[in-house]
Amino acid sequence: MRWFAHITLIGGFAFSVTAADLKPVTEILTACCLDCHDAETRKGGIDLSKLLSEKNLNEPKIMALWEKVDKMVREGEMPPKKNDSLTPNQKAQVAKWYQSTYVLKDGREHIGQTPLRRLSRYELINSLEDLLHLSLKQPYVFSSEVPALLPSTLETILPPDAPGESGFHNDAEQLADSEPPILKYSQAFEYALHTFAQDSEARGKVFGFKEAPANLADITAKKILQRFMNRAWRGYRNADNERVVWHTYQRQRKDKPPVPSLLHAMKIAMLSPAFVYRIEAAKDHGTPYRVSAHELASRLSYFLWASMPDSELFTLAESGELLEESVLSAQIDRLLNSPKRLSLAEDFAGQWLGFSEIASNRIFYRNENWNRGVYDEVLFFFDELIKSDRSILDIIDSDWLYQSNYTGVRTDGPVHSFPLKHADIFKWRRQRPKGIRERFYDPPRLIKIKSDQRGGIITSVGILRATSAPEKTNPVRRGVWMLDKIIGRTMHAPENIPALSKSKKVNGKQLVDLADILKAHTSKAICISCHKHIDPIGLGLESFDPYGKWRTRYKNKRPVKAVGQFPNGDKFQTPKQMKQILISDYQEPIVKNITERMFTYAIGRKIQPCDQPTVKRIYATLKQNEFKMNTLIREIITSPQFQNRQDTP
Amino acid sequence: MSKKSYLIPRRTFLRGIGAALALPSLEIMSPALSYAKTAPVKKALRMAVLFKGAGVNPSSWDITGATEINFELSKLLSPLEKNKSDIVLLRNIEGSGKGGGHESATVNFMTGQLRKSRLIQRHSFDQIIADHVGKNTPVKSLQLRSDTYLDGNDPAENFLSYGKDGKALPVEDKPEIVFNHLFKGFHNSGFRQRTKSVLDEVKESYAAIVRKASNQDKQVLEQYLQSVRDVERDIEQFTTQNNPVRDARLREIRPVPATNNLAGRTRAMLELIALAFWTDMTRVSTLIMAHTESRSTFEFLGINDELHMLSHFVRTRNRSAGLSGYDKINHWYIQQFAQFIDRLKSLKDADGSVFDNSAILFGSGIKHGDYHSVTDLPLVLAGGGGGKILPGRYVDYPNVPNGNLHLKLMDIMGVQREQFGNSTGLLTGISEKANLAPKYVDDGSWKIVKESGNKIQLKGMLKISVKADDLNLYLVQLSNKQQIEIRPSFGNVHSLRLDACVGSVVELTGEFNVKDGRKNITKVSHCKRL
């Protein structure tokens, strides 16, 4: 009954640390870093004197600090002054120590401990739909009375998930630490089975008969349940657990007809941890070993569909063929061609980029068509990256986009030669439930554009709205959003902010332009370190009002100046130019960030130092393959973390 | 109440969402409770935290010239006029650190400490209470939000309650769903029966799986068994404890109307807490009424600016709604709080009303909306605490850490702990009169100590101007009744945390000029609380 409860921690997810000789590195730290970063000076709040001892290498704080040191040294950000830079040899020594201590295990690559994953609410609802051949999700109905997207009945029963350290709801550790809501599961499954019992189509698929028989041979019942358990447990076999379900059926049969008895046994099978968790056979090995075909099938379908494997995938897992490279490759293609791939746009991108808020957060509600149109534009855009295997850098800028008629923003361009290409994803959520009138809705269309104003997700109405107050834009919020979500640089709000308004006068001269005010404001060293990254991007987006409309003047008639300069000196005059600089100068961090986000979502845990080699490899492959989205997806699926298990860190 | 009257309001409740929600098997909604007439309800204590982040304008909030029992409410607190005898106004209770950013405000407010890391917080005091008293109710604790989710950089800001391991607990923001969680399912004896009947088999399933699981997976699966046992125990308790009072109340439950605006949602959430307390579904609840960085706008008050923007009122006072908008919003929140008090008082309980058996903490994690000071937090305690709160008072403490307050609230709820967060002891003056001696006695030493050139050093009581149009004006009160004005720059106040010294006797050095024969301090170089 403790659906909001939260109980004790799991000890499991630490890293293994086999410390290499620390001495050469401590010498470098002492000579080159401690002047500013000792316990007393603590410049920027960083105290590196804690790193001089070999004790506590396992502590999360120490690990995080070392990670920072490694990154800063690798990227040449520290030491800050050119003439104090570390020599290549010193850099190599720091890198080597970090690699052998945190990244590698006994000198070899490894994948960290594989966590046990419980289904997130999103995954659970999808799985129930597929398992029972039902439509249980709410079609996209925005309601002015909620006001947001209507929740489905299952969403009103099952409690929401909190995002974990990975940033996603499917975070294994977060789900492991929160108590599974058994009572709510029971209620949700009862509802799902109740719906199932009334649906002859669905019954036919699971039972093999549509009309309830007065009697059922035990052998037939056993077959039905066996097949159901195999599917529900995604190929995980456990004879004892199967016996529990079978005995349940037999007990029910004593005073109940066959169908209610089957339904009851099915509920028991669904309440088994084998359904709610994705259990994998563990060998208790500390080094990576390949998962079974069924386990791979599950990993694959939960990554690409956020749901259980379908019958084809299940069959290929049963025969073991899925473990063959060519078969796996063909299956990836097939899964990505299925409309179910929409989960990647909806669940993965919706959380990562935060545009799901347009659908679910009432502060963004305007009217049904506007919200639907704005949301669909971003959703379809992301899906298009997968569907047509486009470059992930199209997120920054593209010569195509999905355009809705309802957003109040229009970009000219010919409609794509496949105007209804999106029909596959649109169709399956078109039907409304009984009692809700179908309204005419024109979905966004794919258009080819030649526009200096538009292109990419970052200038979509959805993102521009989500990062603004209703009546004014906030360049800092937009800049921080870009750095965090797109470039992967997490910013912390400063604890001690000098006033923006106090910077309005410089040398007695009143400043009126926002760009100048920001510049004056951020002339202090402590501000510059962050604002040099934030401001150019935020200012570069000033040409768009809070609702994403292009503007050349503010409401007070002053001209908009979307001009700026990046820390490396590159200047831009328009948003288009800014985006081009992002693509050329920030390519590596952007691509690595997108890689890490998707990788994290796929494996259900936050990125760890041991993942560095994989991310590096994926980046290299992407670079050779025009940063294609499906190359990224394939590389994640074929990565050691995705293909293997490891039981101790 | 008849069965029928229970069912009709359900439709009323759902009308807002139209027919879209196909209800899970309808019988779940109908009550089938035991009618036994034994064992009256024992007195149960409840505790709620109403978090209205984003601070206040101190000039509008602070009460001046008051004694413990003789006090006039300030402008912001005026909606509590008729509730003066229901509340204890707490002054000079402070959080950890020198002043916080947005993201640490919630954590500091709930744990009396700064956070461990971006994602890991500390066990919050409400959850420590819930760990103890939550065992007795079907729902351990409620975590609610009437503000909207912030899809910001910082996940911690979205949560008030943190479990033992410091991880945030999910927060529900849809009143209709909270209603379902609280009042659907569990109360139906058929559903209870059906659920109970499967639990033995679920345990067998669990055993079969654990036998084959790896050691590390076993640790995770342990939670599953724990949850099954909890359900078992809850059903057992709910079924066997004859609780006619509770059952009668459950039959009277009226679904909370769903409305589409912030005002309606806030009221709905408060009503849900009231109902959950009344029916003893839970005894602990937290509600985020407003985030520190709230993006909510208040069209129904004629305010289209985001609350967070308005809260930085020193800097944004000249823009649109400005300071008056900020005050208006905070005033509105106090009104909601006052209505909640009245609601709890209207619900009869053992020995009086639910209000008499509750402790309600209303407040913000920062004081000054723009400077984010964590001293003299805006806090109001309401409720009788089952006789452990003596209301109708104004208590000005000698700067005590908020951990002491947390300890006291735990104590009221029957949880004894030695230490919590920044605590230095149990907060006194809650269950009994505080009888605190005046904090600062003017011993005649408040005066200008030194003066040379344009440099000045003085000692006195630091005050903030109460003039609404003069927001960055501070004053030092001297023994000779003279007040020296300080007009520092925003950055000066901010970097010195000058704001945090307001209300204390300070030793202050700075630069001054003379205007119309009066000394004005223009820059403060040093300020120490004595």
Side-chain angles (χ1 to χ4, degrees), chain A residues 143-213:
Chain A
S143 159
S144 58
E145 294 181 49
V146 172
L149 201 63
L150 277 183
S152 67
T153 304
L154 284 175
E155 282 170 318
T156 69
I157 297 174
L158 295 163
D161 300 313
E165 288 192 69
S166 67
F168 295 101
H169 289 144
N170 68 1
D171 185 293
E173 198 181 344
Q174 177 75 30
L175 286 162
D177 283 353
S178 40
E179 198 175 329
I182 302 286
L183 193 81
K184 298 296 160 186
Y185 282 162
S186 173
Q187 208 174 343
F189 299 162
E190 194 165 285
Y191 163 72
L193 285 168
H194 181 78
T195 315
F196 168 81
Q198 290 171 339
D199 187 323
S200 65
E201 248 349 88
R203 272 196 335 254
K205 282 180 187 159
V206 173
F207 294 159
F209 50 79
K210 287 187 181 180
E211 296 311 316

Side-chain angles (χ1 to χ4, degrees), chain A residues 472-488:
Chain A
K472 58 174 73 74
T473 53
N474 183 337
V476 175
R477 189 185 282 161
R478 282 179 174 174
V480 168
W481 183 90
M482 281 284 299
L483 283 167
D484 174 34
K485 308 278 187 185
I486 304 294
I487 301 176

Side-chain angles (χ1 to χ4, degrees), chain A residues 344-358:
Chain A
L344 282 170
E346 198 174 65
D347 195 41
F348 164 65
Q351 286 182 70
W352 162 39
L353 298 170
F355 70 85
S356 57
E357 294 292 303
I358 292 289

Side-chain angles (χ1 to χ4, degrees), chain A residues 59 199 210 226 271 316 352 391 452 469 491 567 580 589 624:
Chain A
E59 258 181 41
D199 187 323
K210 287 187 181 180
Q226 188 62 55
L271 278 169
L316 289 171
W352 162 39
S391 161
D452 278 350
M491 293 281 159
Q580 290 309 316
Q624 287 163 8

Side-chain angles (χ1 to χ4, degrees), chain A residues 344-514:
Chain A
L344 282 170
E346 198 174 65
D347 195 41
F348 164 65
Q351 286 182 70
W352 162 39
L353 298 170
F355 70 85
S356 57
E357 294 292 303
I358 292 289
S360 61
N361 195 333
R362 72 199 146 79
I363 58 172
F364 299 120
Y365 187 79
R366 286 184 101 186
N367 59 59
E368 171 156 13
N369 278 350
W370 185 86
N371 280 69
R372 213 168 154 181
V374 169
Y375 177 73
D376 278 356
E377 275 187 355
V378 189
L379 189 79
F380 287 23
F381 188 109
F382 194 87
D383 185 66
E384 172 68 19
L385 294 171
I386 302 167
K387 186 165 59 185
S388 302
D389 194 11
R390 294 178 185 267
S391 161
I392 53 177
L393 291 170
D394 282 3
I395 290 171
I396 315 299
D397 198 11
S398 59
D399 60 359
W400 57 273
L401 49 75
Y402 269 96
Q403 178 156 280
S404 161
N405 289 336
Y406 306 114
T407 63
V409 168
R410 221 187 140 66
T411 308
D412 287 331
V415 173
H416 201 278
S417 48
F418 311 103
L420 291 176
K421 240 188 138 183
H422 54 267
D424 58 345
I425 51 172
F426 185 64
K427 200 178 143 206
W428 79 315
R429 59 179 217 202
R430 198 172 172 87
Q431 283 173 334
R432 293 186 165 216
K434 280 173 202 156
I436 296 248
R437 193 161 46 92
E438 178 69 64
R439 266 195 233 163
F440 176 76
Y441 172 72
D442 196 11
R445 278 158 199 267
L446 180 59
I447 60 169
K448 181 106 183 151
I449 52 165
K450 204 171 173 350
S451 162
D452 278 350
Q453 299 180 1
R454 304 284 161 181
I457 281 183
I458 61 173
T459 47
S460 64
V461 176
I463 298 301
L464 293 165
R465 173 67 192 92
T467 51
S468 304
E471 299 200 338
K472 58 174 73 74
T473 53
N474 183 337
V476 175
R477 189 185 282 161
R478 282 179 174 174
V480 168
W481 183 90
M482 281 284 299
L483 283 167
D484 174 34
K485 308 278 187 185
I486 304 294
I487 301 176
R489 204 182 164 113
T490 310
M491 293 281 159
H492 289 282
E495 299 272 312
N496 188 0
I497 327 148
L500 202 58
S501 55
K502 290 293 163 190
S503 309
K504 274 187 181 170
K505 263 186 189 169
V506 168
N507 300 332
K509 208 179 120 198
Q510 187 78 25
L511 302 176
V512 285
D513 281 333
L514 191 57

Side-chain angles (χ1 to χ4, degrees), chain A residues 240-255:
Chain A
D240 290 349
N241 202 2
E242 285 162 22
R243 221 168 289 131
V244 172
V245 173
W246 176 243
H247 287 160
T248 300
Y249 173 78
Q250 286 181 312
R251 267 201 299 280
Q252 293 289 315
R253 263 312 264 129
K254 280 180 196 152
D255 49 9

Side-chain angles (χ1 to χ4, degrees), chain A residues 1-12 61 113-114 116 138 144-147 150-151 153 155-160 162-165 173-174 176-177 179-180 182-187 190-191 194 236-238 240-241 244 248 251 264 268 271-274 276-277 279-280 282 284 353-354 357 361-364 434 436 465-472 477 480 484-485 490-493 495-502 645-648, chain B residues 15-17 19-25 28 99-104 115-116 118-120 134-135 137-143 146-149 151 153-154 159 163-165 167-172 174 176-177 180-182 184-186 191 194-195 197-199 201-202 204-206 208-209 211-212 214-217 219-221 223-224 226-228 230-231 233-234 259-262 265 295-297 304-306 309 315 320 490 494-495 497:
Chain A
M1 187 70 206
R2 308 254 175 271
W3 37 278
F4 285 143
H6 196 90
I7 280 205
T8 52
L9 66 162
I10 309 305
K61 270 191 179 165
Q113 181 178 304
T114 307
L116 174 61
Q138 197 68 18
S144 58
E145 294 181 49
V146 172
L150 277 183
T153 304
E155 282 170 318
T156 69
I157 297 174
L158 295 163
E165 288 192 69
E173 198 181 344
Q174 177 75 30
D177 283 353
E179 198 175 329
I182 302 286
L183 193 81
K184 298 296 160 186
Y185 282 162
S186 173
Q187 208 174 343
E190 194 165 285
Y191 163 72
H194 181 78
Y236 167 85
R237 301 297 300 266
N238 183 314
D240 290 349
N241 202 2
V244 172
T248 300
R251 267 201 299 280
H264 190 95
I268 297 296
L271 278 169
S272 161
V276 177
Y277 292 90
I279 295 175
E280 296 177 338
D284 284 325
L353 298 170
E357 294 292 303
N361 195 333
R362 72 199 146 79
I363 58 172
F364 299 120
K434 280 173 202 156
I436 296 248
R465 173 67 192 92
T467 51
S468 304
E471 299 200 338
K472 58 174 73 74
R477 189 185 282 161
V480 168
D484 174 34
K485 308 278 187 185
T490 310
M491 293 281 159
H492 289 282
E495 299 272 312
N496 188 0
I497 327 148
L500 202 58
S501 55
K502 290 293 163 190
R645 257 192 83 80
Q646 183 182 319
D647 297 312
T648 46
Chain B
R15 194 181 53 206
I17 331 176
L21 298 181
L23 288 166
S25 94
I28 289 176
H102 310 106
E103 63 284 346
S104 54
R115 58 217 197 129
K116 273 189 184 160
R118 186 158 176 261
L119 286 138
I120 307 300
K135 289 192 201 85
T137 55
V139 175
K140 183 180 171 190
S141 63
L142 276 181
Q143 284 74 241
S146 56
D147 200 351
T148 57
Y149 182 79
D151 183 57
N153 241 343
D154 208 295
F159 305 95
K164 206 173 189 172
D165 53 0
K167 290 219 172 71
L169 270 64
V171 178
E172 187 53 79
K174 295 187 178 67
E176 55 274 27
I177 293 178
N180 287 357
H181 279 317
L182 283 171
K184 276 164 72 174
F186 203 73
F191 178 71
R194 287 196 300 279
T195 303
S197 74
V198 300
L199 292 179
E201 284 139 332
V202 175
E204 280 179 49
S205 260
Y206 166 82
I209 282 164
R211 271 198 293 279
K212 282 176 72 178
S214 73
N215 286 333
Q216 69 202 45
D217 287 358
Q219 288 186 349
V220 177
L221 289 167
Q223 295 270 359
Y224 205 79
Q226 186 57 47
S227 184
V228 173
D230 285 347
V231 172
R233 189 197 55 218
D234 290 343
T259 47
N260 65 359
N261 59 32
L262 177 75
R265 207 165 283 234
R295 292 186 65 176
S296 281
T297 52
N304 297 320
D305 293 304
E306 293 177 356
M309 196 276 275
R315 288 175 276 178
S320 349
F490 181 93
H494 213 327
S495 59
R497 312 273 182 199

